[in-house]
Amino acid sequence: MPAERDALSQMPLASDNERMILDVLRRHGAMARSTITSHTNLTQQSVHRLVEGLVERGLLRTGAPIGGMRGQPSPTIELARGGASAIGLSVNTDSVVLCITDLACDIIVHERMDLNPSDRETTLQAISTRLDALLEQYRVPKSTLAGLGFSMSGFFVSEDRAFNAPEPLADWSLRNLRPELEQAFGLPVWLENNATTAAIGESMRGVGLWCRTFAFLSFNYGFGGGLILDGKPFHGFHGNAGEFSGIYIPGESERRPALQYLLARLQENGIDIDSVEVLRRDFDPSWPGVEAWLTDTMPQVDRLIATLVAVLDPQAIVFGGQLPPALGRMMIARAHLPSARIHRYGIGPPEAQLVLSETAGDPAAIGAAVLPLKLRYFA
């Protein structure tokens, strides 16, 4: 990949002050131009100049003035949704999810491709063909694409962000994927753990609409998570913050809440379920093996909850990923919060809320699509 492309992929496409204004309008929606200033640390003259420049570049557009205002109201300003777009790609052990979002981070396309992604080259070819068709179908010009966010289960093991992914994704593991992805799609690419992109998606379109600090538990074939602190993702020094499976010592790993172990338990009890996606789609709480799995697993979940509450003090802990919603409700009902302990004077610290993911669609793919927009256009 040419050096200039690599540099471009790391650059914002707007200045810091422009990003501030774009982010205000993303969070608050259309507003009078005179009102934007109150949400920034800029003068009204600076805001006016910056807004005019963003309108000329097709990132903002003007609307009719808001009625009922005294004097001569200024026109409303809003994001030009078609001014930019981005692609998100989430590779699971048994499926691939494609997402395309507009500049307002609203979903244009959300499509699950039921294919076995074990062969990397074949999978990338199928995705590229389908993506071209979707861009044409939904009339998304390639010139508006800010980039592609790529997410996958696993943790990073090198400076070039090579994944150590679950066994079904061995062909994607321990290699520098970025050059191959940028060649396949012709776009700048950002790589992120799927639990972190899920947390980003949740922060933009789910629990994050009412909660600024939360932990996201990502139940997939494996088990991990992501952290949102004061509205921003926390990555850690090596990019592996939220690798919650790491708290379990040898001998406990098979009892951590990874859905691969529930699949094995169900198969032992004669339930013919061979993938996490089918588990999510067809889950029945009465299946033999479900209660036994919960009995073995919930002590590990309780320990993680206590750890997160003590170390992070989150407002919420979100149960998400590919977790069947009914199973998530069963887990939340059985969870023991630290407040169940005996505290001095009979009063414990405030607790985190345990909630299911509130993102419609696959939060990992949505978060992956939002990632290029967030890095290149928003504060």
Side-chain angles (χ1 to χ4, degrees), residues 203-257:
S203 73
M204 302 287 277
R205 300 186 57 84
V207 168
L209 297 177
W210 57 267
C211 175
R212 296 281 292 172
T213 295
F214 64 87
F216 186 92
L217 309 186
S218 188
F219 300 87
N220 303 96
Y221 185 85
F223 174 66
L227 302 173
I228 300 294
L229 307 183
D230 194 25
K232 298 179 180 179
F234 179 73
H235 301 282
F237 183 78
H238 297 103
N240 289 321
E243 188 59 35
F244 298 142
S245 283
I247 74 171
Y248 302 119
I249 62 175
E252 296 178 330
S253 292
E254 293 76 10
R255 298 195 300 276
R256 76 187 193 278

Side-chain angles (χ1 to χ4, degrees), residues 11-24 26 54 57-59 79 83-86 102-103 105 143-147 370-379:
M11 288 172 54
L13 294 178
S15 69
D16 288 347
N17 287 339
E18 288 173 332
R19 285 152 62 89
M20 183 191 308
I21 290 173
L22 290 169
D23 202 46
V24 166
R26 179 190 67 81
L54 290 167
R57 288 163 56 192
L59 298 174
L79 293 174
S85 55
D102 62 21
L103 182 59
C105 300
S143 60
T144 68
L145 292 172
V370 165
L371 193 57
L373 294 173
K374 186 174 180 63
L375 293 173
R376 308 195 79 178
Y377 286 110
F378 299 117

Side-chain angles (χ1 to χ4, degrees), residues 74-93:
S74 64
T76 55
I77 304 295
E78 63 182 356
L79 293 174
R81 294 175 180 271
S85 55
I87 297 164
L89 179 60
S90 177
V91 176
N92 301 308
T93 56

Side-chain angles (χ1 to χ4, degrees), residues 26-356:
R26 179 190 67 81
R27 288 185 287 111
H28 298 285
M31 62 175 62
R33 184 168 56 194
S34 57
T35 306
I36 298 175
T37 305
S38 63
H39 294 275
T40 73
N41 56 3
L42 304 173
T43 65
Q44 188 166 344
Q45 292 81 358
S46 294
V47 169
H48 181 89
R49 174 177 55 81
L50 290 164
V51 166
E52 290 301 314
L54 290 167
V55 170
E56 290 177 6
R57 288 163 56 192
L59 298 174
L60 295 180
R61 63 185 179 191
T62 58
I66 298 175
M69 298 180 66
R70 299 180 62 183
Q72 185 170 353
S74 64
T76 55
I77 304 295
E78 63 182 356
L79 293 174
R81 294 175 180 271
S85 55
I87 297 164
L89 179 60
S90 177
V91 176
N92 301 308
T93 56
D94 53 7
S95 64
V96 171
V97 182
L98 265 172
C99 184
I100 304 174
T101 59
D102 62 21
L103 182 59
C105 300
D106 286 335
I107 298 170
I108 301 172
V109 178
H110 183 282
E111 180 170 299
R112 183 178 303 277
M113 299 176 65
D114 291 320
L115 49 80
N116 182 343
S118 58
D119 184 279
R120 187 183 72 262
E121 291 185 4
T122 301
T123 301
L124 287 177
Q125 185 176 8
I127 295 170
S128 180
T129 300
R130 183 58 184 152
L131 178 59
D132 286 343
L134 289 171
L135 291 173
E136 182 176 355
Q137 178 182 347
Y138 288 90
R139 299 180 180 177
V140 179
K142 289 187 176 181
S143 60
T144 68
L145 292 172
L148 182 144
F150 176 88
S151 68
M152 189 169 63
S153 297
F155 53 87
F156 295 119
V157 294
S158 64
E159 291 184 0
D160 58 17
R161 299 178 82 76
F163 286 92
N164 184 327
E167 290 83 353
L169 297 173
D171 197 32
W172 301 78
S173 293
L174 309 182
R175 61 189 301 123
N176 182 3
L177 291 170
R178 176 178 283 147
E180 188 173 355
L181 293 167
E182 294 195 327
Q183 182 177 3
F185 299 105
L187 293 168
V189 171
W190 286 265
L191 296 95
E192 193 57 79
N193 175 284
N194 72 344
T196 298
T197 61
I200 293 170
E202 194 72 38
S203 73
M204 302 287 277
R205 300 186 57 84
V207 168
L209 297 177
W210 57 267
C211 175
R212 296 281 292 172
T213 295
F214 64 87
F216 186 92
L217 309 186
S218 188
F219 300 87
N220 303 96
Y221 185 85
F223 174 66
L227 302 173
I228 300 294
L229 307 183
D230 194 25
K232 298 179 180 179
F234 179 73
H235 301 282
F237 183 78
H238 297 103
N240 289 321
E243 188 59 35
F244 298 142
S245 283
I247 74 171
Y248 302 119
I249 62 175
E252 296 178 330
S253 292
E254 293 76 10
R255 298 195 300 276
R256 76 187 193 278
L259 296 180
Q260 60 179 296
Y261 301 117
L262 177 56
L263 285 176
R265 187 67 64 93
L266 293 173
Q267 290 163 3
E268 290 170 2
N269 283 272
I271 304 298
D272 186 20
I273 299 291
D274 61 358
S275 74
V276 174
E277 188 53 41
V278 174
L279 172 69
R280 175 179 172 83
R281 186 190 67 205
D282 298 340
F283 179 75
D284 185 338
S286 66
W287 280 339
V290 172
E291 286 293 340
W293 181 80
L294 286 170
T295 298
D296 286 346
T297 300
M298 286 309 299
Q300 320 309 319
V301 176
D302 287 343
R303 189 204 305 175
L304 175 58
I305 290 171
T307 301
L308 289 170
V309 169
V311 176
L312 182 62
D313 186 27
Q315 183 180 352
I317 297 175
V318 183
F319 287 58
Q322 293 174 284
L323 185 70
L327 180 58
R329 287 188 286 270
M330 295 170 76
M331 297 178 78
I332 290 172
R334 287 163 170 76
H336 294 91
L337 285 163
S339 60
R341 303 172 183 171
I342 298 175
H343 295 276
R344 285 188 302 272
Y345 319 121
I347 299 176
E351 295 288 11
Q353 297 182 58
L354 306 183
V355 298
L356 288 176

